[in-house]
C-alpha cells in the first residue's frame, strides 16, 4: 500500500457548527467605492471576520502580488480566455468560514464572484467575466473522507476526480464511483453539472449517487441537505452550482465494481464501410448489456496525414473504446452475438482492476502506480496553453446509414475537429427525467460531443476551428433532438444562448433559451428554486438560472 497523500485525509466533521455572528440582512447593502479602495475595503472586511491564526497573505491575492498570476493560471484549462478581464482579487479559502466571509465581503462591495474548482469550464465561466469581479478558487478545499462501512464518502469540491478514484481504491478494490474520465476535472463543477462517464449505462450519472451536500448560500449561510431543503438539494445535482451558491462538498454513495474489468480499443476496418460499422454501433451500443460501455470516436491521426500528404480521408478512423464490467471471455461472447461485425477477439481485450481501467481510459500507462491520479498536471490534461471548444447533441431517433455516411464524409474532410458518441440506455433510461435537473434520460440513444482542440495561439486559428464546429452543428440539426435541440450543461456552449460573454443579467425569457436546452422540463423548477434561494441574483453568469421578477 502506498502512502496517503496529505491533501486527501483531513476530515470535515465540524463544519456544521459554524454560525455567523451577525445578522446578514443588515450588512448586505452594497456600499459605494472607487476602484482603488476596493482591495483595501475587501481586506478590512475579511480581517474583521478572520481569527488571528489566519494568514491573510495566503488567502487573498491581487495583481500586485507576485503569485497572483500563477494562482490565476494554475486552474485555467483553456487558452481561449487568456486575454479576458482578470479578477481584481483572488481568494483561496482553506476553511469553510473563509468561503462564507468571501461571500459576505464580495456582496458588501457589490462585485460579482466567480467560483472555480477545477477550471475545466469550456467557456471559462469559472474565471472570466466582463464586469469587475472577484474569483474564489476552491482548490484548497479538497478533502476526501471514504467510509467503506457505510458505502459512502464526503468529497470537497476542490478535489479532482483522480483523487476521488484514488481515495476509494486505497480503501477498497471492489468499490468505485461513476463520474468522468478526465482525472483533473474537479468535483465542484462536474458533480453540480451532471457528471457522466464510462459506467453510466450501469449506474447512471454522478448526480444519481449524491445523498447529501454542503453549500454556502448568498447570505453566507452554511447549509446541509436538511437545512437547504429538497428543492435546492435537487437543483445542485445537475443544475450547475454557480447559480445557487458555493458548493463545499458532496456526500456520495459508492458503487460496487468487479475485481476484474475488461477494456478494449478497436479500429474499424476502413474497407468494410464506415457507415455500416457506425450504423451497427448505433443499434448495439445503447441496447447491449448494462455492463458494457462502448464509446465511438472519430479521429484523424494528424501526423500521419502530414507525412503522407493525404487529404485526411485515408487515415481517418472510427474507433471504439470500451469498458466492460466483467471478464474478457464474457464480453467476447456477448459481442460475437450482438455485434459480429466488430470481430472482437480475446486478444483485443485486456483484463485489469477497475483503478487500472481509470488510468487506461485517461490514456495513462495503466501499469504505472495509480498515484499518477494525484498529479494535478497529469499528462494529457489541458492547461493554459491548450485551446478547446465543445458543443453537444442528443440523438433520439436512429440516424440512417446514408445520414451516417454524410456525417463521416464531413468529419473526414475537416482536420480541426472531431466527434465522440457516448451511448445512453441501460440505467440512464430507468431514472426519471425529473429526478435531477439533468433531463436527458429515456428516449436518448446517445450523446454527441463535438470536439475542437488546438494549440496555435491567435484569433485566426480559433476562427478556423469555430467555423468548422458550427458548420457541422448546423448540418446535424435535422438528425438530432428538436424543439428545443438539447445540450449537456457540462459541455458548456455560449452559442446556444444567443449571447456571448458579457451582457450580464439574464431575464427569464433570455434564460429560457439555453435553459430549455440544458434542462428541458426541469427548467421552471430550477427557476423557482433560484428565485427562492437567491432572489437578488447574486450568483449569476452568462448562462445562470434566471430569477422570476419579484411580486409586488
Ligand atoms: C479535458 C476535459 C474532460 C472532460 N471530461 C468529462 C467527462 O468525462 N464527463 C463529463 O461529464 N464532463 C467532462 N468534462 C466537462 C466537465 O465535467 C465540466 O467542465 C465541469 O463543469 C468541470 O468542473 P471543474 O470544477 O473542473 O470546472 P470549473 O471551471 O471550476 O467549474 C465549472 C462550472 O461550475 C461552477 N463551479 C465550480 N465549482 C463550484 C462550486 N464549488 N460551487 C458552485 N459552483 C461551482 C463554476 O462556476 C462553473 O460555472 C470534461 C472537461 C474537460 C476540459
Ligand atoms: C500582496 O499585495 C498587498 C498590496 O500590495 C500587500 O499588502 C501584501 O503584503 C501582498 N502579499 C504578499 C503575499 O505579497
Ligand atoms: C480525398 O481522398 C478521397 C479518398 O481517398 C478521394 O476520394 C478524394 O478524391 C480526395 N480528395 C482530394 C481533394 O484529393
Ligand atoms: C501544457 O500542455 C502542453 C501539451 O499540450 C505541454 O507541452 C506543456 O508543458 C504544458 N504546460 C504546463 C505548464 O504544464
Amino acid at each position: 500500500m502506498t502512502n496517503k497523500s496529505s491533501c486527501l485525509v483531513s476530515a470535515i466533521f465540524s463544519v456544521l457548527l459554524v454560525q455567523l455572528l451577525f445578522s446578514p440582512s443588515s450588512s448586505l447593502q452594497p456600499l459605494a467605492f472607487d476602484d482603488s479602495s476596493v482591495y483595501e475595503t475587501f481586506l478590512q472586511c475579511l480581517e474583521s471576520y478572520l481569527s488571528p491564526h489566519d494568514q491573510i497573505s495566503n488567502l487573498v491575492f491581487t495583481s500586485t502580488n507576485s503569485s497572483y498570476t500563477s494562482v490565476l493560471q494554475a486552474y485555467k484549462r483553456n487558452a481561449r480566455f487568456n486575454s479576458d478581464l482578470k479578477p481584481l482579487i483572488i481568494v483561496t479559502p482553506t476553511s469553510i468560514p473563509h468561503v462564507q466571509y468571501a461571500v459576505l465581503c464580495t456582496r458588501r462591495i457589490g462585485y460579482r464572484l466567480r467560483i472555480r474548482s477545477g477550471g475545466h469550464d469550456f467557456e471559462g465561466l469559472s474565471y472570466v467575466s466582463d464586469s469587475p469581479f472577484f474569483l474564489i478558487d476552491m482548490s484548497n478545499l479538497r478533502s476526501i473522507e471514504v467510509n467503506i462501512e457505510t458505502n459512502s464518502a464526503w468529497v470537497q469540491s476542490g478535489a479532482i476526480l483522480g483523487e476521488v478514484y484514488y481515495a476509494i481504491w486505497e480503501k477498497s478494490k471492489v468499490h468505485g464511483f461513476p463520474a468522468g474520465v478526465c482525472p483533473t476535472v474537479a468535483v465542484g463543477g462536474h458533480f453540480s453539472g451532471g457528471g457522466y462517464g464510462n459506467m453510466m449505462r450501469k449506474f447512471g450519472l454522478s448526480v444519481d449517487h449524491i445523498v447529501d451536500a454542503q453549500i454556502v448560500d448568498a447570505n453566507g449561510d452554511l447549509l446541509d441537505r436538511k437545512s437547504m431543503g429538497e428543492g435546492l438539494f435537487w437543483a445542485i445535482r445537475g443544475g450547475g452550482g454557480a447559480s445557487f451558491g458555493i458548493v463545499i462538498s458532496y456526500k456520495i454513495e459508492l458503487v460496487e465494481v468487479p475485481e476484474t474489468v475488461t477494456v478494449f480499443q478497436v479500429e474499424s476496418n476502413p474497407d468494410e464501410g464506415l457507415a455500416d460499422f457506425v450504423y451497427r454501433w448505433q443499434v448495439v451500443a445503447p441496447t447491449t448489456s448494462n455492463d458494457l460501455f462502448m464509446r465511438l470516436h472519430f479521429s484523424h491521426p494528424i501526423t500521419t496525414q502530414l507525412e503522407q500528404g493525404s487529404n485526411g480521408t485515408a487515415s481517418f478512423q472510427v474507433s471504439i473504446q470500451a469498458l466492460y464490467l466483467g471478464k474478457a471471455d464474457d464480453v467476447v461472447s456477448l459481442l460475437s452475438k450482438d455485434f459480429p461485425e466488430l470481430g472482437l477477439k480475446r486478444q483485443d481485450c485486456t483484463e485489469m482492476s477497475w483503478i487500472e481501467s481509470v488510468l487506461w481510459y485517461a490514456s495513462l500507462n495503466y501499469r504505472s502506480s495509480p498515484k499518477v491520479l494525484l498529479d494535478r498536471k497529469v499528462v494529457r490534461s489541458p492547461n493554459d496553453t491548450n485551446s478547446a471548444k465543445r458543443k453537444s447533441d442528443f440523438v433520439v431517433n436512429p440516424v440512417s446509414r446514408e445520414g451516417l455516411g454524410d456525417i463521416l464524409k464531413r468529419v473526414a474532410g475537416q482536420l480541426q475537429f472531431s466527434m465522440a458518441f457516448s451511448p445512453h440506455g441501460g440505467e440512464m433510461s430507468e431514472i426519471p427525467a425529473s429526478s435531477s435537473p439533468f433531463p436527458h434520460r429515456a428516449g436518448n440513444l446517445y450523446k454527441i460531443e463535438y470536439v475542437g482542440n488546438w494549440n496555435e495561439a491567435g484569433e485566426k486559428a480559433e476562427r478556423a476551428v469555430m467555423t468548422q464546429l458550427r458548420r457541422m452543428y448546423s448540418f446535424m440539426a435535422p438528425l438530432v433532438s428538436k424543439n428545443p435541440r438539447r445540450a449537456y450543461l457540462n459541455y458548456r456552449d455560449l452559442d446556444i444562448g444567443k449571447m456571448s460573454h458579457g451582457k450580464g443579467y439574464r431575464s427569464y425569457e433570455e434564460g429560457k433559451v439555453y435553459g430549455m436546452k440544458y434542462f428541458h422540463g426541469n427548467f421552471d423548477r430550477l427557476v423557482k428554486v433560484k428565485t427562492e434561494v437567491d432572489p437578488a441574483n447574486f450568483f449569476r453568469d452568462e448562462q445562470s438560472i434566471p430569477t422570476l421578477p419579484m411580486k409586488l
Side-chain angles (χ1 to χ4, degrees):
M1 181 69 87
T2 46
N3 290 329
K4 272 188 179 176
S5 166
S6 60
C7 64
L8 297 178
V9 290
S10 67
I12 50 171
F13 290 133
S14 56
V15 289
L16 294 176
L17 303 173
V18 177
Q19 286 295 329
L20 294 170
L21 303 169
F22 56 92
S23 148
S25 52
S26 62
S27 34
L28 290 179
Q29 300 305 318
L31 306 174
F33 297 103
D34 67 63
D35 271 9
S36 61
S37 63
V38 166
Y39 178 65
E40 278 304 306
T41 311
F42 186 79
L43 274 192
Q44 277 165 17
C45 178
L46 271 190
E47 270 165 351
S48 72
Y49 294 124
L50 292 175
S51 65
H53 62 261
D54 280 313
Q55 284 266 328
I56 200 156
S57 64
N58 297 326
L59 216 57
V60 184
F61 301 87
T62 184
S63 57
T64 55
N65 294 124
S66 54
S67 39
Y68 170 88
T69 301
S70 60
V71 172
L72 178 63
Q73 298 298 119
Y75 294 102
K76 207 183 239 194
R77 303 256 182 203
N78 201 327
R80 276 167 67 205
F81 312 108
N82 279 343
S83 54
D84 284 81
L85 188 67
K86 295 180 169 48
L88 186 69
I89 293 170
I90 306 173
V91 188
T92 57
T94 53
S95 74
I96 297 169
H98 295 163
V99 178
Q100 299 176 284
Y101 308 152
V103 168
L104 292 166
C105 295
T106 306
R107 236 184 136 172
R108 197 169 150 79
I109 294 176
Y111 266 52
R112 304 249 65 79
L113 187 60
R114 289 294 153 117
I115 313 160
R116 183 171 75 180
S117 288
H120 288 70
D121 192 284
F122 281 113
E123 298 286 5
L125 295 194
S126 55
Y127 52 85
V128 173
S129 169
D130 76 329
S131 49
F133 70 108
F134 301 158
L135 169 63
I136 185 160
D137 178 305
M138 301 292 285
S139 59
N140 291 326
L141 291 177
R142 58 165 94 157
S143 76
I144 300 171
E145 179 80 2
V146 178
N147 186 334
I148 293 298
E149 280 71 54
T150 58
N151 236 355
S152 64
W154 272 105
V155 293
Q156 286 190 318
S157 35
I160 60 173
L161 297 182
E163 291 164 352
V164 175
Y165 298 147
Y166 184 89
I168 296 170
W169 172 81
E170 268 192 315
K171 293 275 176 72
S172 162
K173 307 297 177 263
V174 290
H175 286 82
F177 190 70
V181 298
C182 171
T184 55
V185 164
V187 163
H190 187 70
F191 288 11
S192 68
Y196 86 94
N198 56 19
M199 297 203 291
M200 75 168 156
R201 302 192 65 254
K202 177 79 171 183
F203 299 113
L205 307 175
S206 305
V207 293
D208 301 322
H209 298 269
I210 290 173
V211 293
D212 204 340
Q214 295 179 303
I215 189 170
V216 170
D217 71 7
N219 296 322
D221 289 332
L222 177 66
L223 309 171
D224 66 359
R225 177 173 183 170
K226 202 160 165 234
S227 52
M228 79 178 81
E230 288 303 299
L232 180 54
F233 181 62
W234 173 84
I236 57 169
R237 284 176 294 151
S243 295
F244 300 98
I246 303 180
V247 176
I248 301 293
S249 61
Y250 285 107
K251 186 182 184 188
I252 59 175
E253 229 164 33
L254 309 181
V255 300
E256 271 178 45
V257 295
E259 244 170 284
T260 304
V261 305
T262 301
V263 300
F264 63 85
Q265 170 147 6
V266 283
E267 267 86 51
S268 65
N269 182 341
D271 302 333
E272 274 173 21
L274 289 183
D276 284 340
F277 182 85
V278 178
Y279 188 82
R280 278 304 293 163
W281 172 89
Q282 182 182 246
V283 171
V284 177
T287 55
T288 186
S289 161
N290 293 5
D291 290 325
L292 178 59
F293 180 81
M294 293 193 287
R295 190 182 213 175
L296 190 80
H297 292 273
F298 299 1
S299 58
H300 307 270
I302 288 184
T303 48
T304 324
Q305 284 157 9
L306 295 179
E307 281 160 16
Q308 297 177 346
S310 97
N311 65 12
T313 316
S315 53
F316 178 69
Q317 278 179 332
V318 176
S319 63
I320 286 176
Q321 191 185 25
L323 171 69
Y324 179 69
L325 296 168
K327 298 252 165 74
D329 287 340
D330 295 338
V331 71
V332 170
S333 94
L334 172 74
L335 287 176
S336 70
K337 287 196 277 304
D338 278 8
F339 198 174
E341 299 83 348
L342 186 63
L344 184 72
K345 297 182 204 63
R346 176 64 179 81
Q347 60 266 31
D348 298 324
C349 301
T350 311
E351 289 184 338
M352 53 179 64
S353 66
W354 176 75
I355 198 74
E356 286 173 329
S357 79
V358 169
L359 300 183
W360 184 85
Y361 233 94
S363 306
L364 299 166
N365 176 5
Y366 69 90
R367 296 274 181 228
S368 66
S369 161
K371 272 215 142 148
V372 66
L373 295 172
L374 307 179
D375 177 0
R376 289 176 161 243
K377 290 197 166 132
V378 70
V379 198
R380 277 178 176 255
S381 281
N383 59 41
D384 61 359
T385 68
N386 317 123
S387 294
K389 168 73 183 173
R390 292 292 186 276
K391 299 175 84 64
S392 59
D393 261 319
F394 289 88
V395 174
V396 290
N397 296 312
V399 179
S400 67
R401 274 192 183 76
E402 198 192 11
L404 292 170
D406 288 343
I407 294 173
L408 287 160
K409 245 181 265 157
R410 285 182 167 256
V411 183
Q414 309 279 343
L415 299 185
Q416 298 271 19
F417 84 96
S418 185
M419 291 163 95
F421 294 180
S422 291
H424 278 219
E427 182 66 10
M428 287 298 284
S429 300
E430 303 298 320
I431 297 169
S434 60
S435 87
S436 77
F438 180 96
H440 321 288
R441 304 285 187 166
N444 289 284
L445 294 173
Y446 52 100
K447 173 163 46 55
I448 296 179
E449 178 185 3
Y450 299 80
V451 179
N453 292 325
W454 68 101
N455 289 326
E456 310 82 23
E459 258 184 51
K460 194 168 165 234
E462 173 161 344
R463 217 175 315 120
V465 183
M466 293 292 184
T467 305
Q468 294 185 6
L469 274 171
R470 288 173 183 151
R471 277 198 194 133
M472 189 68 197
Y473 189 75
S474 307
F475 170 79
M476 292 296 293
L479 306 176
V480 297
S481 68
K482 294 178 197 57
N483 301 318
R485 188 174 182 174
R486 315 295 166 83
Y488 174 43
L489 179 68
N490 269 345
Y491 290 152
R492 167 129 31 225
D493 179 6
L494 288 184
D495 298 351
I496 68 166
K498 298 208 163 46
M499 277 183 257
S500 55
H501 278 118
K503 314 271 190 343
Y505 176 79
R506 294 287 180 266
S507 68
Y508 172 79
E509 290 304 327
E510 288 165 337
K512 204 171 171 173
V513 175
Y514 51 82
M516 290 297 285
K517 294 170 185 170
Y518 288 137
F519 308 113
H520 199 239
N522 296 323
F523 176 65
D524 278 334
R525 185 171 176 199
L526 286 169
V527 172
K528 189 170 164 276
V529 173
K530 166 74 179 177
T531 307
E532 278 164 18
V533 305
D534 184 19
N537 206 2
F538 171 66
F539 290 109
R540 68 175 195 244
D541 59 39
E542 285 81 348
Q543 283 193 340
S544 54
I545 303 295
T547 51
L548 286 171
M550 301 231 201
K551 287 199 193 76
L552 297 173

